[in-house]
Amino acid sequence: MENNYKIILASKSPRRAEILKMIKVNFKVAPSKIKEKINPRIEQNKIAINISKAKAIAISHKYPNDVIIGADTIVVFNEKIFGKPKDINESKKMLKALSGNSHNVITGVTIMNKKLGILKTFSEITEVFVQKIPTKKIEYYIKNFNTLDKAGSYGIQEWFSIWIEKINGCYYNVMGLPASKFYLNLDEFKNTIKS
């Protein structure tokens, strides 16, 4: 299957698209419209992997010859999973919980080709330490930025970054795709397709 395939990102996330462009991956976007269901009874890294897999599989039916990338990011604080908030009130609750504490950001990734029956999954965890944020600053953030399309209600790459004290792990993982681990896995996947 010599390079006569396209790489399809099954996500409408502008952050993931930005990361793929940064690492020089040629791709097109075909957002998956699956409902992201979080099952709290399974391991946290598997939650993100399962959703990423569901996204990739949904798009693979339309593009069976191509390489599909599915990804999902969740925030975990005190064993509680923060996905995308459903409204502004939930967004405020999440940000108040994260304020002055550390949490984990987990991204699950699936790379697959339906025609060849090859599916590869992996996940990455980054620990994020957030400074204490005054309530007025949380309100300012919610009012001036879109917090509803992000796991945990924040984007590390925007204004919220001023409240990040430090991170342990991959910065790009917090944005939505672990750049280094993803690139190595994609390379390996391409070699599998060639063989």
Side-chain angles (χ1 to χ4, degrees), residues 1 3 5-8 56 64-69 109-122 181-195:
M1 194 176 175
N3 284 18
Y5 60 82
K6 293 189 288 291
I7 293 175
I8 313 283
N65 300 319
D66 297 320
V67 173
I68 314 296
I69 299 161
V109 181
T110 297
I111 306 172
M112 71 171 289
N113 178 278
K114 183 177 166 69
K115 187 182 180 182
L116 298 177
I118 307 169
L119 188 142
K120 185 178 182 60
T121 64
F122 59 93
K181 196 169 189 177
F182 170 78
Y183 190 84
L184 294 171
N185 275 275
L186 181 64
D187 233 26
E188 205 176 276
F189 192 89
K190 286 177 178 176
N191 290 333
T192 306
I193 285 176
K194 280 179 196 167
S195 58

Side-chain angles (χ1 to χ4, degrees), residues 36 50-51 58 61 86 121 125 144 150 152 154 159-160 172 176 185 194:
E36 296 178 21
N50 285 356
I51 297 172
H61 299 304
K86 60 179 183 288
T121 64
I125 300 176
N144 291 280
K150 299 170 185 76
Y154 76 90
W159 183 84
F160 193 83
Y172 295 104
N185 275 275
K194 280 179 196 167

Side-chain angles (χ1 to χ4, degrees), residues 104-159:
N104 285 336
V105 177
I106 305 171
T107 298
V109 181
T110 297
I111 306 172
M112 71 171 289
N113 178 278
K114 183 177 166 69
K115 187 182 180 182
L116 298 177
I118 307 169
L119 188 142
K120 185 178 182 60
T121 64
F122 59 93
S123 64
E124 183 75 272
I125 300 176
T126 303
E127 189 178 12
V128 180
F129 296 80
V130 182
Q131 296 180 49
K132 192 81 183 145
I133 313 169
T135 302
K136 279 187 177 177
K137 297 295 184 184
I138 288 174
E139 286 164 358
Y140 168 85
Y141 181 57
I142 291 168
K143 189 179 174 185
N144 291 280
F145 295 85
N146 182 9
T147 60
L148 301 182
D149 73 334
K150 299 170 185 76
S153 286
Y154 76 90
I156 196 170
Q157 73 287 348
E158 56 189 30
W159 183 84

Side-chain angles (χ1 to χ4, degrees), residues 83-91 93-94 147-148 150 153:
K84 292 172 186 164
K86 60 179 183 288
D87 56 34
I88 283 168
N89 285 337
E90 190 172 34
S91 187
K93 278 181 195 164
M94 284 183 182
T147 60
L148 301 182
K150 299 170 185 76
S153 286

